Coordinates of all heavy atoms in Angstrom, one line a residue:
M1 N 15.8 74.8 19.7 CA 14.6 75.6 19.5 C 13.6 75.3 20.5 O 12.8 76.2 20.9 CB 14.1 75.3 18.0 CG 13.1 76.3 17.6 SD 13.8 77.9 17.4 CE 12.5 78.8 16.7
R2 N 13.5 74.0 20.9 CA 12.5 73.6 21.9 C 12.8 74.3 23.3 O 11.8 74.7 24.0 CB 12.5 72.1 22.0 CG 11.5 71.6 23.0 CD 11.5 70.1 23.0 NE 11.0 69.6 24.2 CZ 11.2 68.4 24.7 NH1 12.0 67.6 24.1 NH2 10.7 68.0 25.9
H3 N 14.0 74.4 23.6 CA 14.4 75.0 24.9 C 14.1 76.5 24.9 O 13.7 77.1 25.9 CB 15.9 74.8 25.2 CG 16.2 73.4 25.4 ND1 15.8 72.7 26.5 CD2 17.0 72.5 24.7 CE1 16.3 71.5 26.5 NE2 17.0 71.3 25.3
F4 N 14.1 77.1 23.7 CA 13.8 78.5 23.6 C 12.4 78.8 24.0 O 12.1 79.7 24.7 CB 14.1 79.1 22.2 CG 13.6 80.5 22.0 CD1 14.3 81.5 22.5 CD2 12.5 80.7 21.2 CE1 13.8 82.8 22.3 CE2 12.0 82.0 21.0 CZ 12.7 83.0 21.6
W5 N 11.4 78.0 23.4 CA 10.0 78.2 23.7 C 9.7 77.9 25.2 O 8.9 78.5 25.8 CB 9.2 77.3 22.8 CG 9.2 77.8 21.4 CD1 9.9 77.2 20.3 CD2 8.6 79.0 20.9 NE1 9.7 78.0 19.2 CE2 9.0 79.1 19.5 CE3 7.9 80.0 21.5 CZ2 8.5 80.1 18.7 CZ3 7.5 81.1 20.7 CH2 7.8 81.1 19.3
S6 N 10.4 76.9 25.7 CA 10.2 76.6 27.2 C 10.6 77.7 28.0 O 9.9 78.1 29.0 CB 10.9 75.3 27.6 OG 10.6 74.2 26.8
F7 N 11.8 78.3 27.7 CA 12.3 79.4 28.4 C 11.4 80.6 28.3 O 11.1 81.3 29.3 CB 13.7 79.7 27.9 CG 14.3 80.9 28.6 CD1 14.8 80.9 29.9 CD2 14.4 82.2 27.9 CE1 15.4 82.0 30.5 CE2 14.9 83.3 28.5 CZ 15.4 83.2 29.8
L8 N 10.9 80.8 27.1 CA 10.0 82.0 26.9 C 8.7 81.8 27.7 O 8.2 82.8 28.3 CB 9.7 82.1 25.4 CG 8.8 83.3 25.0 CD1 9.5 84.6 25.2 CD2 8.4 83.1 23.5
V9 N 8.1 80.7 27.7 CA 6.8 80.5 28.4 C 7.1 80.6 29.9 O 6.3 81.3 30.6 CB 6.2 79.1 28.1 CG1 5.1 78.7 29.1 CG2 5.8 79.0 26.7
V10 N 8.1 80.0 30.4 CA 8.4 80.2 31.9 C 8.7 81.6 32.2 O 8.3 82.1 33.3 CB 9.6 79.3 32.3 CG1 10.1 79.6 33.7 CG2 9.2 77.8 32.1
S11 N 9.4 82.4 31.4 CA 9.7 83.8 31.6 C 8.5 84.6 31.7 O 8.3 85.5 32.5 CB 10.7 84.3 30.5 OG 11.9 83.6 30.5
I12 N 7.5 84.4 30.7 CA 6.3 85.1 30.7 C 5.5 84.8 32.0 O 4.9 85.8 32.6 CB 5.5 84.8 29.4 CG1 6.2 85.4 28.2 CG2 4.0 85.3 29.5 CD1 5.6 84.9 26.9
I13 N 5.4 83.6 32.4 CA 4.7 83.2 33.6 C 5.3 83.9 34.8 O 4.5 84.4 35.7 CB 4.6 81.7 33.8 CG1 3.7 81.1 32.7 CG2 4.1 81.3 35.2 CD1 3.7 79.6 32.7
L14 N 6.6 83.9 34.9 CA 7.2 84.6 36.0 C 7.0 86.1 36.0 O 6.8 86.7 37.1 CB 8.7 84.3 36.0 CG 9.1 82.9 36.4 CD1 10.6 82.7 36.3 CD2 8.7 82.6 37.8
V15 N 7.0 86.7 34.9 CA 6.8 88.1 34.8 C 5.3 88.5 35.2 O 5.1 89.4 35.9 CB 7.1 88.7 33.4 CG1 6.6 90.1 33.2 CG2 8.6 88.6 33.2
V16 N 4.4 87.7 34.7 CA 3.0 88.0 34.9 C 2.7 87.8 36.4 O 2.0 88.6 37.0 CB 2.1 87.1 34.1 CG1 0.6 87.2 34.5 CG2 2.2 87.5 32.6
F17 N 3.1 86.7 37.0 CA 2.7 86.4 38.4 C 3.7 86.9 39.4 O 3.5 86.9 40.6 CB 2.5 84.8 38.6 CG 1.3 84.3 37.8 CD1 1.5 83.5 36.7 CD2 0.0 84.7 38.2 CE1 0.4 83.0 36.0 CE2 -1.1 84.2 37.5 CZ -0.9 83.4 36.4
G18 N 4.9 87.2 39.0 CA 6.0 87.6 39.9 C 5.8 89.0 40.4 O 6.4 89.4 41.5
F19 N 5.1 89.9 39.7 CA 5.0 91.3 40.2 C 3.6 91.6 40.8 O 3.3 92.8 40.9 CB 5.3 92.2 39.0 CG 6.7 92.1 38.5 CD1 7.0 91.5 37.3 CD2 7.7 92.6 39.3 CE1 8.3 91.4 36.8 CE2 9.0 92.5 38.9 CZ 9.3 91.9 37.6
E20 N 2.9 90.6 41.1 CA 1.6 90.8 41.7 C 1.7 91.2 43.2 O 2.4 90.5 43.9 CB 0.7 89.6 41.6 CG -0.7 89.7 42.1 CD -1.5 90.8 41.4 OE1 -1.3 90.9 40.1 OE2 -2.4 91.4 42.0
D21 N 1.1 92.3 43.6 CA 1.3 92.7 45.0 C 0.5 91.9 46.0 O 1.0 91.4 47.0 CB 0.9 94.2 45.1 CG 1.9 95.1 44.5 OD1 3.0 94.7 44.3 OD2 1.5 96.2 44.1
S22 N -0.8 91.7 45.7 CA -1.7 91.0 46.6 C -2.6 90.1 45.8 O -3.0 90.4 44.7 CB -2.4 91.9 47.5 OG -3.3 92.7 46.8
A23 N -3.0 89.0 46.4 CA -3.8 88.0 45.7 C -5.3 88.2 46.0 O -6.2 87.8 45.3 CB -3.4 86.6 46.0
L24 N -5.6 88.9 47.2 CA -7.0 89.1 47.6 C -7.7 87.8 47.7 O -8.8 87.6 47.3 CB -7.7 90.1 46.7 CG -7.1 91.5 46.6 CD1 -7.9 92.3 45.6 CD2 -7.1 92.2 47.9
A25 N -7.0 86.8 48.3 CA -7.6 85.5 48.4 C -8.1 85.2 49.8 O -7.6 85.8 50.8 CB -6.6 84.4 48.0
Y26 N -9.0 84.3 50.0 CA -9.5 83.9 51.3 C -9.5 82.4 51.5 O -9.9 81.7 50.6 CB -10.9 84.5 51.5 CG -11.6 84.0 52.7 CD1 -11.3 84.5 54.0 CD2 -12.6 83.0 52.6 CE1 -11.9 84.0 55.1 CE2 -13.2 82.5 53.8 CZ -12.8 83.0 55.0 OH -13.4 82.5 56.1
L27 N -8.9 82.0 52.5 CA -8.9 80.5 52.8 C -9.8 80.3 54.0 O -9.7 80.8 55.1 CB -7.5 80.1 53.2 CG -6.4 80.1 52.1 CD1 -5.1 79.6 52.7 CD2 -6.8 79.1 51.0
D28 N -10.8 79.5 53.7 CA -11.8 79.1 54.7 C -11.1 78.3 55.8 O -10.2 77.6 55.5 CB -12.9 78.3 54.0 CG -14.1 78.1 54.9 OD1 -14.8 79.1 55.2 OD2 -14.3 76.9 55.3
P29 N -11.6 78.4 57.1 CA -11.0 77.6 58.1 C -11.1 76.1 57.9 O -10.2 75.3 58.4 CB -11.8 77.9 59.4 CG -12.4 79.3 59.1 CD -12.6 79.3 57.6
G30 N -12.0 75.6 57.1 CA -12.1 74.2 56.8 C -11.2 73.7 55.7 O -11.1 72.5 55.4
T31 N -10.4 74.6 55.1 CA -9.6 74.3 54.0 C -8.4 73.3 54.4 O -8.1 72.4 53.7 CB -8.9 75.5 53.4 OG1 -10.0 76.4 53.0 CG2 -8.1 75.2 52.1
G32 N -7.9 73.6 55.6 CA -6.8 72.7 56.1 C -7.3 71.3 56.3 O -6.6 70.3 56.0
S33 N -8.5 71.1 56.9 CA -9.0 69.8 57.1 C -9.3 69.1 55.8 O -9.2 67.9 55.6 CB -10.2 69.8 58.0 OG -11.2 70.5 57.4
M34 N -9.8 69.9 54.8 CA -10.1 69.3 53.5 C -8.8 68.8 52.8 O -8.8 67.7 52.2 CB -10.8 70.3 52.6 CG -11.3 69.7 51.3 SD -12.4 70.8 50.5 CE -11.3 72.1 49.9
V35 N -7.7 69.6 52.9 CA -6.4 69.2 52.3 C -5.9 68.0 53.0 O -5.4 67.0 52.4 CB -5.4 70.4 52.4 CG1 -4.0 69.9 52.0 CG2 -5.9 71.5 51.5
L36 N -6.0 67.9 54.3 CA -5.6 66.7 55.1 C -6.4 65.5 54.7 O -5.8 64.4 54.5 CB -5.7 67.0 56.6 CG -5.3 65.9 57.5 CD1 -3.8 65.6 57.4 CD2 -5.6 66.2 59.0
Q37 N -7.7 65.7 54.6 CA -8.5 64.5 54.1 C -8.2 64.1 52.7 O -8.1 62.8 52.5 CB -10.0 65.0 54.2 CG -11.0 63.9 53.8 CD -12.4 64.4 53.9 OE1 -12.7 65.5 54.2 NE2 -13.3 63.5 53.6
L38 N -7.9 65.0 51.9 CA -7.5 64.6 50.5 C -6.1 63.8 50.5 O -6.0 62.8 49.9 CB -7.3 65.8 49.6 CG -6.9 65.7 48.2 CD1 -8.0 65.0 47.4 CD2 -6.6 67.0 47.6
L39 N -5.2 64.3 51.3 CA -3.9 63.6 51.5 C -4.1 62.2 52.1 O -3.5 61.2 51.5 CB -3.0 64.5 52.3 CG -1.6 63.9 52.5 CD1 -0.8 63.9 51.2 CD2 -0.9 64.8 53.6
L40 N -4.8 62.1 53.2 CA -5.0 60.8 53.8 C -5.8 59.8 52.9 O -5.5 58.6 52.8 CB -5.7 60.9 55.1 CG -4.9 61.6 56.2 CD1 -5.7 61.8 57.5 CD2 -3.6 60.9 56.5
G41 N -6.8 60.3 52.2 CA -7.5 59.5 51.2 C -6.7 59.0 50.1 O -6.8 57.8 49.7
G42 N -5.7 59.8 49.6 CA -4.8 59.4 48.6 C -3.9 58.3 49.1 O -3.6 57.4 48.3
I43 N -3.4 58.5 50.3 CA -2.5 57.5 50.9 C -3.2 56.2 51.1 O -2.7 55.1 50.7 CB -1.9 58.0 52.2 CG1 -0.9 59.1 51.9 CG2 -1.2 56.9 52.9 CD1 -0.4 59.9 53.1
A44 N -4.5 56.2 51.6 CA -5.3 55.0 51.8 C -5.6 54.3 50.4 O -5.5 53.1 50.3 CB -6.6 55.4 52.5
G45 N -5.9 55.1 49.4 CA -6.1 54.5 48.1 C -4.8 53.8 47.5 O -4.9 52.7 46.9
A46 N -3.7 54.5 47.7 CA -2.4 53.8 47.3 C -2.2 52.6 48.0 O -1.7 51.6 47.4 CB -1.3 54.8 47.4
V47 N -2.4 52.5 49.3 CA -2.2 51.3 50.1 C -3.1 50.2 49.6 O -2.7 49.0 49.4 CB -2.4 51.6 51.6 CG1 -2.5 50.3 52.4 CG2 -1.3 52.5 52.1
V48 N -4.4 50.5 49.3 CA -5.3 49.5 48.8 C -4.9 49.0 47.5 O -4.9 47.7 47.2 CB -6.8 50.1 48.7 CG1 -7.7 49.1 48.0 CG2 -7.3 50.3 50.1
I49 N -4.4 49.8 46.6 CA -4.0 49.4 45.2 C -2.7 48.5 45.4 O -2.6 47.4 44.7 CB -3.7 50.6 44.4 CG1 -5.0 51.2 43.9 CG2 -2.9 50.2 43.1 CD1 -4.8 52.5 43.2
L50 N -1.8 48.9 46.3 CA -0.6 48.0 46.5 C -1.0 46.7 47.0 O -0.5 45.6 46.7 CB 0.4 48.7 47.4 CG 1.1 49.9 46.9 CD1 2.0 50.6 47.9 CD2 2.1 49.4 45.7
K51 N -2.0 46.6 48.0 CA -2.4 45.4 48.5 C -3.1 44.5 47.5 O -2.9 43.3 47.5 CB -3.4 45.7 49.7 CG -3.9 44.4 50.4 CD -4.8 44.7 51.5 CE -5.3 43.5 52.1 NZ -6.3 43.7 53.2
L52 N -3.9 45.1 46.6 CA -4.5 44.3 45.6 C -3.6 43.7 44.6 O -3.8 42.5 44.1 CB -5.6 45.2 44.8 CG -6.8 45.5 45.6 CD1 -7.6 46.5 44.8 CD2 -7.6 44.3 45.9
Y53 N -2.5 44.4 44.2 CA -1.6 43.9 43.2 C -0.4 43.3 43.8 O 0.5 42.8 43.0 CB -1.2 45.1 42.2 CG -2.4 45.4 41.4 CD1 -3.1 46.6 41.6 CD2 -2.8 44.6 40.3 CE1 -4.2 46.9 40.8 CE2 -3.8 45.0 39.5 CZ -4.5 46.1 39.7 OH -5.6 46.5 38.9
W54 N -0.2 43.2 45.1 CA 1.0 42.6 45.7 C 1.1 41.1 45.4 O 2.2 40.7 45.0 CB 1.0 42.8 47.2 CG 2.2 42.3 47.8 CD1 2.2 41.2 48.6 CD2 3.5 42.8 47.7 NE1 3.5 41.0 49.1 CE2 4.3 41.9 48.5 CE3 4.1 43.8 47.1 CZ2 5.7 42.1 48.6 CZ3 5.5 44.0 47.2 CH2 6.2 43.2 48.0
R55 N 0.0 40.4 45.4 CA 0.1 39.0 45.2 C 0.4 38.7 43.7 O 1.2 37.8 43.4 CB -1.3 38.3 45.5 CG -1.5 38.2 47.0 CD -2.7 37.3 47.3 NE -2.8 37.3 48.7 CZ -3.8 36.7 49.3 NH1 -4.8 36.1 48.6 NH2 -3.9 36.7 50.6
R56 N -0.1 39.5 42.8 CA 0.3 39.3 41.4 C 1.8 39.6 41.2 O 2.5 38.9 40.5 CB -0.5 40.3 40.5 CG -1.9 39.9 40.3 CD -2.6 40.8 39.3 NE -4.0 40.5 39.3 CZ -4.8 41.1 38.4 NH1 -4.3 42.1 37.6 NH2 -6.1 40.8 38.4
F57 N 2.3 40.6 41.9 CA 3.7 41.0 41.7 C 4.6 39.9 42.3 O 5.6 39.5 41.7 CB 4.0 42.3 42.5 CG 5.4 42.7 42.4 CD1 6.0 43.2 41.3 CD2 6.2 42.7 43.6 CE1 7.3 43.6 41.2 CE2 7.5 43.1 43.6 CZ 8.0 43.5 42.4
V58 N 4.2 39.4 43.5 CA 5.0 38.3 44.1 C 4.9 37.0 43.3 O 5.8 36.2 43.2 CB 4.6 38.1 45.6 CG1 5.2 36.9 46.2 CG2 4.9 39.4 46.4
G59 N 3.7 36.8 42.7 CA 3.5 35.6 41.9 C 4.3 35.5 40.7 O 4.7 34.4 40.2
L60 N 4.8 36.6 40.2 CA 5.7 36.6 39.0 C 7.0 36.0 39.4 O 7.6 35.3 38.5 CB 5.9 38.1 38.5 CG 4.7 38.8 37.9 CD1 5.1 40.2 37.6 CD2 4.3 38.1 36.6
F61 N 7.4 36.2 40.6 CA 8.7 35.6 41.0 C 8.6 34.2 41.6 O 9.6 33.5 41.5 CB 9.4 36.5 42.1 CG 9.6 37.9 41.5 CD1 8.9 39.0 42.0 CD2 10.6 38.1 40.6 CE1 9.1 40.2 41.5 CE2 10.9 39.4 40.1 CZ 10.1 40.5 40.5
R62 N 7.5 33.8 42.1 CA 7.3 32.5 42.6 C 7.0 31.4 41.6 O 7.3 30.3 41.8 CB 6.2 32.5 43.6 CG 6.5 33.2 44.9 CD 5.5 33.0 45.9 NE 5.8 33.7 47.2 CZ 5.0 33.9 48.1 NH1 3.7 33.5 48.1 NH2 5.4 34.6 49.2
G63 N 6.4 31.8 40.5 CA 6.1 30.9 39.4 C 4.8 30.1 39.8 O 3.9 30.6 40.4
N64 N 4.8 28.8 39.4 CA 3.6 28.0 39.6 C 3.7 27.2 40.9 O 2.9 26.2 41.0 CB 3.4 27.1 38.4 CG 3.1 27.9 37.2 OD1 2.5 28.9 37.2 ND2 3.5 27.3 36.0
A65 N 4.5 27.5 41.8 CA 4.6 26.7 43.1 C 3.3 26.7 43.8 O 2.9 25.6 44.4 CB 5.8 27.2 43.9
R66 N 2.7 27.8 43.9 CA 1.4 27.8 44.7 C 0.3 27.0 44.0 O -0.4 26.3 44.6 CB 1.0 29.3 44.8 CG -0.3 29.5 45.6 CD -0.6 30.9 45.8 NE -1.8 31.0 46.6 CZ -2.5 32.1 46.8 NH1 -2.0 33.2 46.3 NH2 -3.6 32.2 47.4
E67 N 0.2 27.1 42.6 CA -0.8 26.4 41.9 C -0.5 24.9 42.0 O -1.5 24.1 42.1 CB -0.8 26.8 40.4 CG -1.3 28.2 40.3 CD -1.2 28.7 38.8 OE1 -0.9 27.8 37.9 OE2 -1.4 29.9 38.5
E68 N 0.7 24.5 42.0 CA 1.1 23.0 42.1 C 0.7 22.5 43.4 O 0.2 21.4 43.6 CB 2.5 22.8 41.8 CG 2.9 23.1 40.3 CD 4.4 22.9 40.1 OE1 5.1 22.6 41.0 OE2 4.8 23.2 38.9
S69 N 1.0 23.2 44.5 CA 0.7 22.8 45.8 C -0.8 22.7 46.0 O -1.3 21.7 46.7 CB 1.3 23.7 46.9 OG 0.7 25.0 46.9
E70 N -1.6 23.6 45.5 CA -3.1 23.5 45.6 C -3.6 22.3 44.8 O -4.5 21.6 45.2 CB -3.7 24.8 45.1 CG -3.5 26.0 46.0 CD -4.1 27.3 45.5 OE1 -4.6 27.2 44.3 OE2 -4.0 28.3 46.1
H71 N -3.0 22.1 43.6 CA -3.4 21.0 42.8 C -3.1 19.6 43.4 O -4.0 18.7 43.4 CB -2.8 21.1 41.4 CG -3.2 20.0 40.4 ND1 -4.5 20.0 40.0 CD2 -2.5 19.0 39.9 CE1 -4.6 19.0 39.1 NE2 -3.4 18.4 39.1
S72 N -2.0 19.5 44.0 CA -1.6 18.2 44.7 C -2.4 18.0 45.9 O -2.8 16.8 46.2 CB -0.1 18.2 45.0 OG 0.2 19.2 45.9
S73 N -2.7 19.0 46.7 CA -3.5 18.8 47.9 C -5.0 18.4 47.5 O -5.6 17.6 48.3 CB -3.5 20.1 48.8 OG -4.2 21.1 48.1
S74 N -5.5 18.9 46.4 CA -6.9 18.5 46.0 C -6.9 17.1 45.5 O -7.9 16.4 45.7 CB -7.4 19.5 45.0 OG -6.6 19.4 43.8
E75 N -5.8 16.6 44.9 CA -5.7 15.2 44.5 C -5.6 14.2 45.7 O -6.1 13.1 45.7 CB -4.5 15.0 43.5 CG -4.8 15.6 42.2 CD -3.6 15.3 41.3 OE1 -2.6 14.8 41.7 OE2 -3.7 15.7 40.1
D76 N -4.9 14.7 46.7 CA -4.7 13.8 47.9 C -6.0 13.6 48.6 O -6.2 12.6 49.3 CB -3.7 14.5 48.9 CG -2.3 14.5 48.3 OD1 -2.0 13.7 47.4 OD2 -1.5 15.4 48.8
Q77 N -6.9 14.5 48.5 CA -8.2 14.4 49.2 C -9.2 13.5 48.5 O -10.1 13.0 49.1 CB -8.9 15.8 49.3 CG -8.2 16.7 50.3 CD -8.8 18.1 50.3 OE1 -9.8 18.4 49.6 NE2 -8.2 19.0 51.1
K78 N -8.9 13.1 47.3 CA -9.8 12.2 46.5 C -9.7 10.8 46.9 O -9.0 10.2 47.5 CB -9.5 12.4 45.0 CG -10.0 13.6 44.5 CD -9.8 13.7 43.0 CE -10.3 15.0 42.4 NZ -10.1 15.1 41.0

C-alpha cells in the first residue's frame, strides 16, 4: 500500500510539471558565481569538520598511548 501512494505522488508530480511548455524564468549573470561560491564553501566547511574530528577518530584506534607518553614525559621533567 505504501508503494501505491509513492507511485501516485510521483505520477502526479510528473504530470503537473512534465507538460509545462516554458518556465518564463530568468537567471542573473551572477547566479553561476553564487552557485560556485556555495559549492566551494560547502567543501571548505566539510574539510574543516573533518580536520576537527580527525584526531578524535584516530584516537579511538590508538588508545591511551598518547596520554601515557605525555604523562611520562612530564614526570621525567620533575
Side-chain angles (χ1 to χ4, degrees):
M1 190 67 172
R2 182 176 158 202
H3 294 291
F4 172 74
W5 289 108
S6 302
F7 177 75
L8 183 65
V9 169
V10 170
S11 299
I12 291 172
I13 290 172
L14 288 176
V15 167
V16 169
F17 293 111
F19 294 111
E20 183 64 32
D21 289 337
S22 64
L24 299 176
Y26 171 73
L27 291 177
D28 191 67
T31 304
S33 64
M34 189 170 69
V35 169
L36 181 64
Q37 182 179 0
L38 180 68
L39 181 67
L40 292 176
I43 291 171
V47 168
V48 168
I49 288 173
L50 286 174
K51 183 179 176 184
L52 288 174
Y53 288 104
W54 181 251
R55 288 190 180 174
R56 288 185 185 182
F57 178 71
V58 172
L60 292 173
F61 298 108
R62 288 188 182 168
N64 293 332
R66 183 175 177 190
E67 292 177 9
E68 291 175 4
S69 66
E70 289 176 1
H71 183 65
S72 64
S73 64
S74 64
E75 286 181 357
D76 293 340
Q77 292 176 357
K78 288 182 182 181

